[in-house]
Amino acid sequence: MGNLRKSFSEARCLVIGGGGFIGINLSNALARAGAQVDAYGRRLSIRDSLISGVRWTSADFADRAKLAEAVEHADFVFHLVSSSTPSSANADPAADVMDNLVTTLHLLDICRVQSFGRLVFISSGGTVYGIPSMIPVPETAPTDPISAHGVQKLAVEKYLALYRHLYDLDYLVLRVANPYGPMQIARKSQGVVAALMMRALADEPVEIWGSGDVVRDFIHVQDVVRAILMASLHPGPSRLFNLGSGMGTSIKTVIDDIERVVGRGPLKRIHLPARAVDVPSNVLDIRRIREEVGWQPEIEWMDGLRKTMEWTMNAKENGLI
């Protein structure tokens, strides 16, 4: 599979799902690091969001011919694409398997027969563990997902390990917590910070699933992207890392803090029934990536919310969202 590169300068990078929230931020960061970047996806969620040096390819993940062409001779392939959420995957697990797991297996088959470097898979630190037996959750914790989405993400991780065993496929898995920040658009029941921020700026009521006491690990996208870049160049020995802030914040606290940042007074809160896909608490243990890779989060929570508000207001003024 070739030797792992020590930098992204002149590296050929393919970002599958490059038109989404993390994908846009990652593609731009790779280009700034000197890489030759192909962002691949069905659509670009924010127009004019990719910087010079990133080439956009509009194509479906299921298009094996175009995917094979895009993968050829890549030094790094970043797999970020996902067509489901925990709630949507539970509604149709078979479709989730066909749209995400089967197509990923096609990608792995393409990678194993081509001149290729390392595959980096962005997994879900919020769903693969299920209801955690300990907080914070280490990479060694049991994986018992309570959503089809988490099962699918975990299955991809297992297939990566299998292809490593069978074909010496070089891979890395990053289990990302709850990212937020610029380029995030609230859609498909995801992006709670973005959704709450938009409602707060519009003086609209905010919706809370359940009591609002569920705890999540929120991490700014700048920290996520920096971790992806650092971990992708890391030679080992670990192939699996949690990626979060290591701190828990309840949904009620998120709303309180957004009220402070926006400065428009108390928001009306509408409580909806709790969802079966939501674990009561999820906070990731990030000691492994801190000790092995040397990464740690830098964006403080309230500062990250302010940055997010500034981007959201600018995007609204320019008709981007």
Side-chain angles (χ1 to χ4, degrees):
M1 291 293 174
N3 296 322
L4 184 64
R5 296 176 65 99
K6 296 182 180 180
S7 80
F8 287 107
S9 178
E10 299 301 318
R12 293 161 296 188
C13 297
L14 171 65
V15 181
I16 304 172
F21 166 43
I22 298 178
I24 293 170
N25 282 282
L26 176 60
S27 296
N28 290 342
L30 287 166
R32 292 188 186 103
Q36 303 171 24
V37 185
D38 284 316
Y40 181 106
R42 281 188 293 185
R43 65 181 184 89
L44 191 59
S45 60
I46 306 288
R47 61 178 172 82
D48 302 325
S49 54
L50 295 173
I51 66 172
S52 176
V54 179
R55 184 176 69 175
W56 170 250
T57 298
S58 180
D60 197 283
F61 187 38
D63 189 331
R64 296 183 69 174
K66 282 197 173 182
L67 192 60
E69 181 181 350
V71 169
E72 189 173 9
H73 303 304
D75 296 301
F76 296 91
V77 172
F78 298 90
H79 178 7
L80 286 71
V81 69
S82 179
S83 65
S84 71
T85 65
S87 55
S88 70
N90 275 9
D92 195 346
D96 189 42
V97 168
M98 292 299 298
D99 292 344
N100 294 291
L101 181 56
V102 172
T103 48
T104 296
L105 287 173
H106 293 163
L107 171 64
L108 300 190
D109 284 331
I110 290 169
C111 289
R112 73 180 177 87
V113 298
Q114 292 206 12
S115 175
F116 164 76
R118 166 173 279 189
L119 175 61
V120 180
F121 175 58
I122 305 304
S123 188
S124 172
T127 63
V128 298
Y129 295 111
I131 301 174
S133 57
M134 63 191 81
I135 295 290
V137 189
E139 291 89 349
T140 54
T143 48
D144 298 304
I146 60 172
S147 71
H149 181 79
V151 172
Q152 175 256 122
K153 293 290 188 182
L154 188 60
V156 171
E157 294 183 16
K158 296 296 185 182
Y159 274 111
L160 284 166
L162 176 63
Y163 273 61
R164 172 71 175 175
H165 173 72
L166 295 176
Y167 311 113
D168 198 30
L169 181 75
D170 190 5
Y171 78 92
L172 180 76
V173 173
L174 293 167
R175 290 176 175 168
V176 180
N178 291 76
Y180 73 100
M183 307 295 176
Q184 188 176 44
I185 301 175
R187 61 185 180 86
K188 299 192 301 184
S189 302
Q190 285 188 314
V192 62
V193 171
L196 293 172
M197 185 69 73
M198 284 289 289
R199 286 183 173 271
L201 289 171
D203 291 320
E204 295 177 351
V206 297
E207 296 179 342
I208 304 172
W209 299 94
S211 66
D213 292 318
V214 297
V215 172
R216 293 292 179 265
D217 185 340
F218 294 97
I219 180 168
H220 195 273
V221 69
Q222 289 182 16
D223 281 330
V224 172
V225 167
R226 187 167 50 84
I228 294 173
L229 266 61
M230 292 176 67
S232 297
L233 298 173
H234 185 64
S238 296
R239 294 188 175 274
L240 169 65
F241 294 102
N242 281 341
L243 178 48
S245 70
M247 299 177 60
T249 306
S250 72
I251 299 301
K252 287 195 297 189
T253 300
V254 172
I255 296 172
D256 291 341
D257 290 342
I258 287 177
E259 285 178 346
R260 294 188 185 97
V261 168
V262 174
R264 296 193 180 179
L267 296 167
K268 182 179 179 181
R269 307 183 185 198
I270 300 173
H271 286 267
L272 302 172
R275 300 179 298 185
V277 297
D278 290 331
V279 300
S281 180
N282 179 273
V283 182
L284 299 182
D285 186 329
I286 57 174
R287 285 178 294 177
R288 180 183 289 182
I289 192 170
R290 178 183 285 131
E291 293 170 1
E292 290 192 23
V293 179
W295 171 91
Q296 62 181 10
E298 294 180 349
I299 307 296
E300 189 270 333
W301 166 244
M302 291 301 291
D303 187 42
L305 282 184
R306 293 185 188 96
K307 291 176 182 289
T308 302
M309 181 186 68
E310 291 168 2
W311 178 86
T312 304
M313 293 178 67
N314 182 68
K316 285 183 65 179
E317 289 173 0
N318 289 280
L320 299 178
I321 57 176

